[in-house]
Amino acid sequence: MLTIGVDIGGTKVAAGVVDDQGVIVEHTLRPTAADRPDVVAETVADVVRELSAGRQIEAVGVGAAGFVDETRSMVRFAPNLAWREEPLQKKISGLVGLPVVIENDANAMAWGESRFGAGRGQSFVVCITLGTGIGGGLVVDGALYRGRWGMGAEFGHMQVLPGGRQCGCGNVGCWEQYASGQALVKDTREIAEAHPEQAKILLGLAGGKIEGEEITEAARLGDEASLAAFASLADWLGQGMADLASVLDPGCFIVGGGVSRAADLFIDRARQAFADKLTGRGHRPLAEIRLAELGASAGVVGAADLARLR
């Protein structure tokens, strides 16, 4: 049984045909028109039509970077996309003529990793998705926890710093403003502007364009500003996971998303920060912190599987 999984992020739409073993048969990628909800729906429809050609597709699962309602049909709000009470399920289903399930993108990633990736065999898993922002997912005893209104596990919008940076959700000081891809870029730019002598490698590589790829490359070459920004991300990530452990007490954290491709630059420090900040440290088991095994495909695989199980 083949289904299609679609992962809509702040900058891209990834999609794939997935079989019942979680294997992606074919994959495609398109840019996201973050400020045009109508164009996003059309983009999803286009990739579904492309991937459906010559195949019997049973259903489509869409992981959307926003607050999805309890019926898994509407995106109530998206901090980094222009969705406000967006009837995404109805729009896409009408365009492609297939059953469609909408799920929060981080929930889809968490489900994919729990079923087919780093969370296999774990009964209590917290997933952290580091992308443009921070997404979260929670799987308990083989079930995806969604909360009363479908909007649970929005860990990226815990307010960790009163009076801190403005967040796209409307609040200030949210976790994703300090431990996400956009936070990494913002921190590096600020350091490079204030102390250009610390960013010589980066500025030489970037040619005026300081984005995630350039920062990662510069950090691996020893750029001080880039390494400092990754260190800050690691510290905030570890602190946030320690706070979550105080509330949820999971056996395993899984860290995924686009930023995790540079995990060699921050994950060990994040693990240490987690251990250092954990309440009751030394007197409680230490949750594992694993990297997602499915990589950037986790959301696609998870969304496809959720459509299969609808």
Side-chain angles (χ1 to χ4, degrees), residues 8-13 30-40 43 81-83:
I8 306 174
T11 60
K12 62 176 175 55
V13 172
R30 303 282 179 85
T32 303
D35 58 342
R36 295 283 305 280
D38 53 332
V39 174
V40 172
T43 300
L81 289 159
W83 284 325

Side-chain angles (χ1 to χ4, degrees), residues 22-279:
V23 176
I24 296 178
V25 177
E26 186 177 346
H27 186 267
T28 190
L29 191 68
R30 303 282 179 85
T32 303
D35 58 342
R36 295 283 305 280
D38 53 332
V39 174
V40 172
E42 288 285 357
T43 300
V44 172
D46 284 344
V47 299
V48 170
R49 294 186 195 105
E50 174 188 329
L51 294 171
S52 297
R55 295 187 175 95
Q56 183 67 39
I57 301 298
E58 300 295 328
V60 178
V62 179
F67 292 20
V68 178
D69 73 349
E70 68 272 25
T71 67
R72 299 196 298 176
S73 61
M74 179 177 290
V75 182
R76 293 288 188 188
F77 172 75
N80 299 305
L81 289 159
W83 284 325
R84 301 293 185 270
E85 309 298 333
E86 179 70 12
L88 196 60
Q89 187 272 344
K90 183 178 180 181
K91 282 188 176 181
I92 295 173
S93 183
L95 289 168
V96 302
L98 288 167
V100 174
V101 170
I102 307 297
E103 185 54 86
N104 172 267
D105 62 337
N107 283 352
M109 175 262 187
W111 185 252
E113 287 291 338
S114 292
R115 286 268 289 157
F116 305 107
R120 283 172 297 183
Q122 292 286 326
S123 62
F124 198 141
V125 177
V126 170
C127 285
I128 307 295
T129 309
L130 305 179
T132 304
I134 292 180
L138 180 58
V139 178
V140 182
D141 292 333
L144 184 64
Y145 176 81
R146 304 187 73 252
R148 170 60 182 88
W149 311 110
M151 303 175 194
E154 283 291 344
F155 306 135
H157 299 288
M158 302 184 299
Q159 293 180 56
V160 298
L161 187 62
R165 290 173 174 169
Q166 180 70 47
C167 184
C169 75
N171 287 326
V172 297
C174 291
W175 190 29
E176 73 173 37
Q177 293 304 309
Y178 303 95
S180 66
Q182 63 177 320
L184 177 70
V185 172
K186 187 175 292 186
D187 285 342
T188 309
R189 287 174 177 172
E190 289 178 356
I191 296 169
E193 183 176 347
H195 304 284
E197 72 282 0
Q198 297 179 18
K200 290 179 181 178
I201 297 174
L202 173 64
L203 295 173
L205 286 172
K209 179 189 176 185
I210 298 178
E211 300 293 347
E213 290 185 8
E214 291 78 17
I215 295 166
T216 299
E217 183 179 357
R220 288 182 174 139
L221 293 171
D223 183 74
E224 293 181 55
S226 302
L227 288 169
F230 269 111
S232 176
L233 182 150
D235 290 345
W236 279 108
L237 178 60
Q239 172 71 70
M241 288 191 293
D243 291 343
L244 287 172
S246 294
V247 178
L248 300 172
D249 191 30
C252 177
F253 286 94
I254 298 174
V255 178
V259 178
S260 71
R261 290 195 295 269
D264 57 299
L265 294 167
F266 68 84
I267 196 65
D268 287 343
R269 183 171 177 133
R271 289 186 176 113
Q272 188 60 56
F274 169 75
D276 290 345
K277 298 295 184 180
L278 186 64
T279 302

